[in-house]
Amino acid sequence: MTSQITIRKFVVVLAVLFLGVALSSQALAKKKKYLELRKIDRIEAAVGKSQILYSDRNISRISIADPNIADVNLLSLHQVYLNGKSVGTTTLSLWNQNGVLVHVFDVVISRDVTSLKRLIRKVLPDESDIKVDGANGSLTLSGVVKSPESVTTAVSLAQAYAPDKVVNLLKVGGVQQVMLEVRIAEVSKSVLKRIGINIAYIKSGQLLDGEVFYTFLNSLTGFDDSGNFRLSENIDSAFSFRAGGANWSGFVDALKQNGLLKVLAEPNVVCQSGKNGSFLAGGEIPIPVPQGLGTVGIEYRDFGVSLDFKPTVLGNGRINIAVRPEVSELDYTNAISVSGTRVPAITTRRVETSVELGNGQSFAIGGLISDSMRETIDKFPLLGDVPILGMLFRSSEFRKNLSELVVIVTPHLVEPVDGSKLTLPTDKIIEPNDIEFYVLGKMQGKKPKTRIVTPINFSNSSGFDGEVGHTITAD
């Protein structure tokens, strides 16, 4: 008998527990299924989505200010069905059985961003911090992404849902400062061989009056407008002798020239991702430009080492760079005269391209190997072809140029550092004193000796607490 009573009590307890769990589940389901009006101050819904509103007060009449934005139906004394129709804001009012206004809510209907969120998660699975919000007909993207490519992709996907109504508040995390290191190296060799002879024979008279004979090959010699005999700058030597009552003169242009040119430029520039950076170490040369009415204007042309680039950090350590390095110098050998002013030419080496590299990687973006040879012979017909003696009636020139150029770029992701840890080129320059400069003839002084004086320690009985005194670190 006692065991049966115990079993009945146990069954009753289990029944009570199951009933409590069932009621709790129903309450939780009710909480998830309904939107309780007493806990909110406004109602938000998406276009094409519906919600069931629950009120703990009796409701007998409802009204929506703009039925084109949302549609409402009274399901029971405590439940209201709300369906979003178009993007906008309206007002929902509810009355009880006595005609008393019990609830007034702002109803905000926005775009349905659920499918857009799902698409962004699918296309960009590594970007979990992107937030999508819809308000007043527009879409707002916010959060922090890992690369600018993710920003472009997310905005493109949002534009498909709301063309021209996307507010982009996404930020790119990580290092966004890029230092571009460019090395421009060039070696140029040149060889010039030149030989020419002009002869002048004068027995009597001058120019075409009397017995005279001149050669003017390669313009080594000639006459100016006044009839005076002139020599060019290329004349290296001359000789003269008298024979048979006539004066013989020879003017020789003999030159062998070897040239070597080395150019090494390493401009470095730091720039923010997506911005333009430039660098110029050189100057500007004024160039006269003829204007109207006989006037002359001035235009300035840059020369030296210059660098223009635009970096874009792509993420995962990849950097896209649009770069334009240039090295130019004045060339007076090819100068021209403009309005009486000698204007030099400008020799330029320039590369303009776009490459994608990893952090710290190097790439040779440009190179040139040039090997040119030119031979020129000016001679008199027939006389210049005579062996040996034909050299007197012939001017020969041999020129060969060999050059090699390489341009290498290396991008680095950099962060600011403490200014005290940076060194300057002027840190090691010490001005000499009068004795070092005038007497010893030194251009740089000696580094002053440093001496450290230990501070005086006083005992506590003296009335001082801690170290007292001065510390001298330099003379």
Side-chain angles (χ1 to χ4, degrees):
M1 185 70 177
T2 303
S3 60
Q4 292 180 354
I5 295 176
T6 303
I7 294 174
R8 290 177 182 177
K9 289 183 179 180
F10 179 72
V11 172
V12 171
V13 172
L14 288 178
V16 171
L17 291 175
F18 280 118
L19 180 61
V21 172
L23 292 176
S24 300
S25 301
Q26 291 179 359
L28 182 61
K30 177 181 178 181
K31 182 177 181 181
K32 292 183 179 180
K33 187 176 181 180
Y34 301 141
L35 179 62
E36 298 185 11
L37 297 179
R38 62 183 177 84
K39 297 182 179 180
I40 61 174
D41 55 357
R42 72 172 186 172
I43 303 172
E44 296 182 358
V47 176
K49 300 293 183 179
S50 61
Q51 286 189 1
I52 297 179
L53 311 178
Y54 178 82
S55 175
D56 54 356
R57 300 183 183 182
N58 293 333
I59 301 174
S60 63
R61 185 164 61 93
I62 58 176
S63 175
I64 190 76
D66 191 349
N68 294 324
I69 295 178
D71 187 18
V72 292
N73 292 308
L74 185 60
L75 299 180
S76 65
L77 293 177
H78 298 279
Q79 297 178 2
V80 177
Y81 178 83
L82 173 68
N83 180 39
K85 300 174 64 177
S86 62
V87 176
T89 303
T90 184
T91 303
L92 174 63
S93 303
L94 300 92
W95 291 266
N96 61 11
Q97 295 175 348
N98 299 325
V100 178
L101 183 64
V102 294
H103 294 296
V104 177
F105 296 101
D106 290 332
V107 179
V108 179
I109 306 299
S110 59
R111 295 180 182 272
D112 183 16
V113 297
T114 303
S115 57
L116 177 59
K117 291 180 179 179
R118 188 180 299 110
L119 181 60
I120 291 178
R121 296 292 183 271
K122 181 179 179 180
V123 176
L124 301 172
D126 296 332
E127 304 291 354
S128 59
D129 197 34
I130 299 180
K131 299 179 178 59
V132 183
D133 298 308
N136 298 326
S138 62
L139 291 177
T140 302
L141 302 179
S142 61
V144 179
V145 295
K146 299 178 181 178
S147 66
E149 289 182 333
S150 299
V151 176
T152 304
T153 302
V155 172
S156 300
L157 295 177
Q159 288 286 356
Y161 279 78
D164 300 328
K165 292 184 178 181
V166 178
V167 180
N168 181 18
L169 299 180
L170 293 173
K171 298 181 180 180
V172 181
V175 179
Q176 297 298 310
Q177 303 287 118
V178 178
M179 184 188 74
L180 182 63
E181 176 186 349
V182 180
R183 287 176 288 174
I184 304 174
E186 179 185 11
V187 175
S188 178
K189 298 180 180 180
S190 62
V191 177
L192 175 61
K193 299 178 182 179
R194 188 175 65 215
I195 185 170
I197 301 177
N198 278 2
I199 300 175
Y201 166 80
I202 302 175
K203 186 173 184 181
S204 63
Q206 187 176 4
L207 197 55
L208 300 179
D209 183 15
E211 297 180 8
V212 295
F213 177 75
Y214 295 96
T215 59
F216 304 108
L217 288 175
N218 208 18
S219 300
L220 296 178
T221 58
F223 292 91
D224 56 17
D225 296 336
S226 301
N228 298 320
F229 190 72
R230 64 171 182 81
L231 303 178
S232 71
E233 298 178 354
N234 293 333
I235 296 296
D236 298 320
S237 59
F239 62 89
S240 178
F241 63 91
R242 184 176 180 83
N247 293 325
W248 294 83
S249 299
F251 305 94
V252 181
D253 173 23
L255 177 67
K256 181 177 181 181
Q257 185 181 68
N258 295 327
L260 175 63
L261 173 66
K262 174 184 176 182
V263 177
L264 178 61
E266 296 187 13
N268 297 333
V269 183
V270 178
C271 183
Q272 187 178 3
S273 175
K275 304 295 183 179
N276 293 317
S278 61
F279 172 87
L280 173 63
E284 295 181 344
I285 178 174
I287 299 177
V289 179
Q291 304 291 333
L293 302 177
T295 60
V296 178
I298 299 296
E299 291 184 359
Y300 289 88
R301 172 72 183 275
D302 295 337
F303 71 94
V305 180
S306 65
L307 173 63
D308 297 321
F309 81 109
K310 181 180 181 180
T312 303
V313 180
L314 304 178
N316 298 325
R318 306 296 295 178
I319 307 172
N320 179 272
I321 305 173
V323 60
R324 185 179 182 270
E326 177 180 318
V327 176
S328 58
E329 56 189 8
L330 302 181
D331 182 10
Y332 285 93
T333 59
N334 297 317
I336 61 174
S337 180
V338 178
S339 300
T341 303
R342 190 182 183 192
V343 180
I346 298 180
T347 303
T348 304
R349 281 81 74 193
R350 180 189 303 119
V351 178
E352 184 172 0
T353 185
S354 179
V355 294
E356 181 178 330
L357 299 172
N359 180 26
Q361 292 182 341
S362 299
F363 209 116
I365 62 173
L368 172 66
I369 297 178
S370 176
D371 188 356
S372 62
M373 183 185 69
R374 185 178 65 180
E375 295 181 354
T376 304
I377 298 179
D378 297 327
K379 61 183 179 179
F380 282 98
L382 299 180
L383 295 178
D385 296 329
V386 176
I388 302 176
L389 293 178
M391 294 180 57
L392 301 176
F393 305 96
R394 185 170 60 239
S395 178
S396 304
E397 180 178 323
F398 173 83
R399 186 186 299 269
K400 183 175 182 179
N401 295 311
L402 176 63
S403 63
E404 184 175 357
L405 172 68
V406 176
V407 180
I408 301 175
V409 296
T410 305
H412 300 276
L413 293 175
V414 295
E415 295 181 350
V417 298
D418 187 2
S420 60
K421 299 180 180 179
L422 298 177
T423 59
L424 300 177
T426 57
D427 292 343
K428 298 181 180 180
I429 302 298
I430 301 175
E431 296 182 1
N433 53 34
D434 292 343
I435 297 178
E436 292 173 336
F437 184 74
Y438 293 107
V439 179
L440 302 180
K442 293 185 177 181
M443 301 289 292
Q444 186 172 345
K446 294 183 179 180
K447 184 177 180 181
K449 297 181 180 180
T450 59
R451 60 187 182 91
I452 301 176
V453 179
T454 305
I456 302 175
N457 294 324
F458 293 90
S459 61
N460 293 332
S461 59
S462 62
F464 294 96
D465 185 11
E467 297 179 348
V468 180
H470 299 278
T471 301
I472 300 176
T473 59
D475 292 335

